[in-house]
Amino acid sequence: MESPIIESKHSNADWLSSLGPSVAARLLAWEQAQTDALLADVFGYHAVQLGWPDLQALRGNRMPHRWQAHAEFESSQAAFHHNTDTLAQGPDVWLDSRAWPWSADSLDLVVLPHALERSADPHACLREVERVLIPEGHVLITGFNPLSLWGWHQSGALRRQGVGHGLGQSLIAYRRLRDWLRLLGFEVQVSRFGGWTPAWRQERWMQRMDWMDRVGERWWPIFGGVYLLMATKRVHGGRLLESRPWRKVRSPAATTVPVARSDTSIGRQAAAKDSVDPR
């Protein structure tokens, strides 16, 4: 990836320790660049980011109410870390990823940076996202690709550490996540991949393999180390009517009514009788 590396004192979090600081920094840089570009023009009133506070996904968004939420899989160090560069007006929120405190149809945007793969029940988490989003609301999801070198390292860490260290059951494949979103009524608008270099710990070796990013992005994007999906919640049962030219329909009131003609003729006969036989 060609985006600049973002340094962060928390970038080598527990759940990224198997990848090393170099990959963690590149991962953060790529996702920060993507979210800055995709979320700047998403409008609404309420936005929530769940997990990984080092990624300031909402920093370029202009919604008046933006929250950084922390779930059960966040470490205490990350949970109490506040990003002073963000302009979020709401306080940080603690929640269970399987039961969100917001009411139905109340949020305009939800960002899940590696939240589903760390949740104990990613299905329940995604169902909650569908519930709290308004119709036509947006969700942005990032995750490790299990078909990549980065995903292979994360899968190994998953087996060694387990859910007690902030990891869920398994990584979620890109196509499987698309199927989940489709079943919940979402329409995927954006799909992107990043990170094709090996997960080496030293940055100088990573830089020597930067050519793999350029080749991978063009020829085998499906094997990128991380994927990003942005989807829109569609309303079932609703359909926009197609614009069709107006068709002239003859009004029933404009037709000739036989009863009216009969009444008129009877009225004329009665008037003639009255004129002949005055009383």
Side-chain angles (χ1 to χ4, degrees):
M1 295 170 286
E2 300 180 359
S3 55
I5 295 176
I6 298 176
E7 297 293 340
S8 173
K9 63 181 180 180
H10 296 288
S11 61
N12 191 19
D14 292 341
W15 61 281
L16 293 176
S17 59
S18 66
L19 294 175
S22 296
V23 177
R26 286 173 173 251
L27 177 70
L28 178 60
W30 185 81
E31 295 195 15
Q32 189 67 69
Q34 297 298 319
T35 54
D36 286 346
L38 290 172
L39 302 182
D41 295 328
V42 177
F43 299 102
Y45 295 96
H46 304 92
V48 174
Q49 174 183 334
L50 177 62
W52 203 16
D54 290 327
L55 176 66
Q56 302 172 28
L58 301 176
R59 70 180 184 181
N61 188 267
R62 288 169 285 181
M63 293 189 191
H65 306 288
R66 290 167 284 167
W67 295 283
Q68 172 69 51
H70 308 296
E72 74 282 355
F73 50 75
E74 291 291 336
S75 65
S76 59
Q77 184 182 20
F80 287 102
H81 169 63
H82 295 268
N83 291 311
T84 57
D85 295 335
T86 60
L87 298 177
Q89 299 179 6
D92 287 346
V93 179
W94 280 96
L95 58 85
D96 188 323
S97 64
R98 299 156 293 185
W100 291 38
W102 289 277
S103 59
D105 303 333
S106 60
L107 299 180
D108 301 275
L109 172 64
V110 172
V111 183
L112 302 176
H114 302 276
L116 292 179
E117 62 198 25
R118 293 190 288 156
S119 173
D121 191 343
H123 294 88
C125 181
L126 203 56
R127 285 194 297 268
E128 282 294 279
V129 171
E130 189 277 334
R131 181 184 66 83
V132 300
L133 276 177
I134 66 169
E136 303 301 317
H138 302 283
V139 58
L140 187 147
I141 304 170
T142 63
F144 283 107
N145 182 9
L147 301 177
S148 67
L149 295 174
W150 294 8
W152 181 77
H153 280 274
Q154 275 297 93
S155 296
L158 189 87
R159 292 189 296 269
R160 291 190 301 270
Q161 296 177 2
V163 296
H165 290 74
L167 294 173
Q169 300 296 326
S170 62
L171 300 182
I172 304 171
Y174 163 78
R175 295 188 182 278
R176 178 181 298 179
L177 181 56
R178 285 185 65 103
D179 291 339
W180 290 1
L181 291 169
R182 188 179 299 109
L183 289 174
L184 289 174
F186 286 93
E187 181 181 347
V188 177
Q189 305 289 337
V190 178
S191 298
R192 295 179 182 175
F193 290 85
W196 290 267
T197 59
W200 287 335
R201 292 184 173 272
Q202 296 186 8
E203 178 61 26
R204 62 187 182 92
W205 288 104
M206 297 284 292
Q207 292 178 359
R208 291 183 179 182
M209 305 302 293
D210 280 344
W211 61 270
M212 295 183 65
D213 282 336
R214 296 188 294 270
V215 174
E217 185 176 6
R218 179 169 183 176
W219 296 107
W220 15 281
I222 194 67
F223 296 112
V226 61
Y227 60 77
L228 178 148
L229 289 174
M230 188 169 179
T232 304
K233 176 183 173 181
R234 301 304 187 191
V235 180
H236 290 287
R239 183 173 65 88
L240 293 176
L241 296 178
E242 298 179 358
S243 59
R244 297 179 179 178
W246 289 101
R247 184 163 56 98
K248 293 183 178 180
V249 180
R250 190 177 182 183
S251 173
T255 60
T256 304
V257 182
V259 175
R261 290 200 303 268
S262 176
D263 292 343
T264 304
S265 61
I266 293 175
R268 288 199 299 267
Q269 294 175 3
K273 181 179 180 181
D274 292 340
S275 61
V276 175
D277 187 15
R279 293 182 182 179

